[in-house]
Amino acid sequence: MGLTLYYVEGSPPVRATQLCIRALGLNVQYEFVNLFKKENLQPAFLEKNPMHSVPVLDDNGFIIWDSHAINEYLVTVYGKENDSLFPKDPKLRAIIHQMTHFDTGLAFPTFAGMSFRVLFAKKKDILEESIRRTRDVYALVEKFLEKTKYIACDHITIADFSIVTTLTTLEVFVPEISNYSRVAAYIERCRTTMKDYQEANQDSLDMFKAAVQERLNRSSL
Ligand SMILES: N[C@@H](CCC(=O)N[C@@H](CS)C(=O)NCC(=O)O)C(=O)O
């Protein structure tokens, strides 16, 4: 059996978990869940995750959902003792949680609102309110990065997997990150230092961008 990840292409939380899986060098089987065909609402999937979201991890029958929880679990169980991706130091852990809650509470829902509108409700525009919220996210991350190279400290942690995947996907809708120099430098740092960034984040992000671009019918984003 081993590890199975239920996933969909393009999803920032799925990509966050894939970055973690790649960083840990884990061997994982992938099960595609087609959200457009509502496979996530089928009883068998709801049994695994009543929240009907991906990613979901099955570790030999132990089921866990939510990318942040999955990443904590993977590093705790399969990482090195005191793995730097999720260090045991309580203060650092608190900051990692602070940043993953920022992702869940503000950054990801900002993405999800725009994504639902364009891909599922098939609208061809983005609401002003969503653009304003995205700018808030960029400005907050710009502020967070005043003191550290990565989002929680000076090295990569699981919080970075969540923040970088969400930020790079927000940029698909509101391509203004170049106005935020620390955010732009941070994304470039993640791109060049995270293991298998291209395969775990960029490839799927590019597919997502092409799908959004097609729906919005813009020549460039
Ligand atoms: N907080 C969750 C969010 C997961 C989530 O909302 N995933 C989206 C794809 S990006 C999904 O599965 N949406 C379908 C649904 O919620 O019904 C996580 O980090 O895993």
Side-chain angles (χ1 to χ4, degrees):
M1 279 248 290
L3 293 166
T4 302
L5 192 77
Y6 292 85
Y7 79 102
V8 70
E9 298 291 354
S11 154
V14 166
R15 285 185 267 121
T17 295
Q18 285 173 319
L19 281 168
C20 189
I21 286 167
R22 297 279 187 151
L24 294 170
L26 300 175
N27 190 12
V28 173
Q29 285 197 323
Y30 288 94
E31 288 283 339
F32 178 64
V33 182
N34 192 329
L35 302 187
F36 290 103
K37 291 188 177 165
K38 299 193 183 344
E39 287 175 3
N40 58 326
L41 301 180
Q42 294 301 312
F45 189 80
L46 288 173
E47 193 58 40
K48 291 181 180 45
N49 179 8
M51 293 278 286
H52 48 78
S53 60
V54 285
V56 173
L57 180 78
D58 181 338
D59 182 1
N60 272 306
F62 171 70
I63 307 287
I64 180 96
W65 45 265
D66 186 277
S67 57
H68 314 89
I70 292 170
N71 289 350
E72 279 197 33
Y73 172 79
L74 287 174
V75 179
T76 305
V77 174
Y78 296 103
K80 295 187 293 288
E81 175 67 15
N82 204 20
D83 202 304
S84 62
L85 289 173
F86 188 47
K88 291 204 171 77
D89 173 62
K91 290 188 174 129
L92 197 40
R93 278 207 172 179
I95 293 173
I96 290 169
H97 283 142
Q98 172 184 280
M99 292 308 176
T100 54
H101 285 292
F102 167 74
D103 186 49
T104 299
L106 180 66
F108 177 80
T110 302
F111 148 79
M114 294 188 284
S115 178
F116 181 83
R117 182 173 172 85
V118 174
L119 295 180
F120 289 86
K122 299 190 168 46
K123 304 280 186 199
K124 285 188 175 290
D125 63 334
I126 299 165
L127 294 176
E128 263 315 304
E129 171 63 11
S130 297
I131 295 173
R132 193 190 58 71
R133 282 182 60 170
T134 304
R135 288 180 181 145
D136 283 350
V137 171
Y138 294 161
L140 284 164
V141 177
E142 183 78 357
K143 179 76 186 159
F144 299 157
L145 288 167
E146 266 177 2
K147 295 195 178 109
T148 53
K149 279 164 55 179
Y150 291 92
I151 202 68
C153 58
D154 282 332
H155 62 76
I156 296 170
T157 67
I158 54 171
D160 295 296
F161 299 148
S162 302
I163 297 297
V164 79
T165 50
T166 302
L167 280 176
T168 50
T169 320
L170 282 171
E171 198 184 18
V172 168
F173 296 97
V174 186
E176 297 179 5
I177 278 182
S178 57
N179 297 340
Y180 303 82
S181 61
R182 278 187 291 268
V183 181
Y186 166 72
I187 291 174
E188 182 58 13
R189 195 171 299 126
C190 290
R191 189 183 71 76
T192 52
T193 56
M194 283 181 175
K195 190 158 180 286
D196 298 336
Y197 181 92
Q198 180 71 34
E199 296 83 349
N201 189 42
Q202 195 65 50
D203 290 348
S204 173
L205 176 64
D206 289 346
M207 282 174 59
F208 180 82
K209 184 172 179 174
V212 170
Q213 204 162 351
E214 194 183 313
R215 286 283 162 83
L216 288 176
N217 208 10
R218 291 192 202 166
S219 52
S220 68
L221 279 168

